[in-house]
């Protein structure tokens, strides 16, 4: 009887070690100039709504300030950025994309151009963020922040007019530059 109990316990302990996945470091493999593969830690994903980044002029063109480009440059040094833009039409999407291109955000590896994502509704922005499962989401809409709060690890609310009620996973900043200088995204 004792032998059977010891054998069952041994099997259970063995199964525990086999079935429980040990956390693996998230890495990416690159090849340098000498064809030597190097493994580097993957950067945490950050989604940024462009609603507070892109400004729309009266003639319908979009622009982005140098201060915002500097902030994105700083954030991209430590994070893998996805830009999410809500647009009403295909031509508006093209104008927004052109503004992002002209700002230089897609150059020198700051933001991968394929990670500029467009949607036509606010609900689309919520769905995109939930699908990407970022470490951090940056947004200027209280409604979006409230909707994402239960599903997103960290959220940064950007608004000069109001502060989002503090929560366990929400921080407020008046602009993207001050956020990029903070230690939140690091």
């Amino acid at each position: 009887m004792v032998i059977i109990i010891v054998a069952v316990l041994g099997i259970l302990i063995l199964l525990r070690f086999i079935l429980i996945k040990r956390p693996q470091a998230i890495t990416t493999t690159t090849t340098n100039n000498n064809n030597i593969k190097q493994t580097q830690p993957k950067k945490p994903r950050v989604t940024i709504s462009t609603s507070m980044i892109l400004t729309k002029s009266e003639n319908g063109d979009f622009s982005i300030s140098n201060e915002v480009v500097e902030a994105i440059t700083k954030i991209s040094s430590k994070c893998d950025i996805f830009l999410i833009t809500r647009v009403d039409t295909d031509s508006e999407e093209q104008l927004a994309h052109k503004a992002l291109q002209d700002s230089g955000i897609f150059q020198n590896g700051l933001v991968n151009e394929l990670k500029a994502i467009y949607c036509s509704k606010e609900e689309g922005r919520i769905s995109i963020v939930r699908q990407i499962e970022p470490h951090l989401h940056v947004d200027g809409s209280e409604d979006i922040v409230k909707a994402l709060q239960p599903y997103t690890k960290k959220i940064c609310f950007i608004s000069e007019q109001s502060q989002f009620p503090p929560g366990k996973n929400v921080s407020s900043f008046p602009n993207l530059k001050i956020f990029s200088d903070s230690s939140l995204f690091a």
Side-chain angles (χ1 to χ4, degrees), residues 107-142:
Q107 297 170 353
N108 303 323
L110 294 180
V111 176
N112 182 336
E113 194 166 354
L114 298 174
K115 294 180 180 176
I117 304 167
Y118 301 89
C119 59
S120 60
K121 298 192 184 301
E122 296 296 318
E123 294 83 12
R125 196 158 83 208
I126 295 167
S127 296
I128 291 167
V129 172
R130 290 191 62 193
Q131 287 294 317
I132 294 173
E133 295 180 341
H135 178 73
L136 171 71
H137 177 67
V138 181
D139 210 301
S141 166
E142 280 190 51

Side-chain angles (χ1 to χ4, degrees), residues 65-161:
S65 72
N66 289 336
E67 184 178 270
V68 168
V69 173
E70 289 173 21
I72 288 178
T73 301
K74 192 169 189 178
I75 295 167
S76 72
S77 69
K78 296 185 180 193
C79 302
D80 185 17
I81 297 176
F82 291 78
L83 297 174
I84 304 171
T85 306
R86 195 193 75 70
V87 292
D88 292 323
T89 64
D90 290 342
S91 60
E92 199 173 82
E93 177 182 331
Q94 291 170 348
L95 291 171
H97 194 80
K98 184 178 179 340
L100 292 169
Q101 279 179 323
D102 292 347
S103 72
I105 285 179
F106 299 138
Q107 297 170 353
N108 303 323
L110 294 180
V111 176
N112 182 336
E113 194 166 354
L114 298 174
K115 294 180 180 176
I117 304 167
Y118 301 89
C119 59
S120 60
K121 298 192 184 301
E122 296 296 318
E123 294 83 12
R125 196 158 83 208
I126 295 167
S127 296
I128 291 167
V129 172
R130 290 191 62 193
Q131 287 294 317
I132 294 173
E133 295 180 341
H135 178 73
L136 171 71
H137 177 67
V138 181
D139 210 301
S141 166
E142 280 190 51
D143 293 336
I144 299 292
V145 170
K146 286 176 186 173
L148 289 172
Q149 203 169 2
Y151 308 105
T152 308
K153 291 179 188 175
K154 291 182 185 177
I155 301 174
C156 174
F157 177 62
I158 304 286
S159 175
E160 292 184 12
Q161 286 81 29

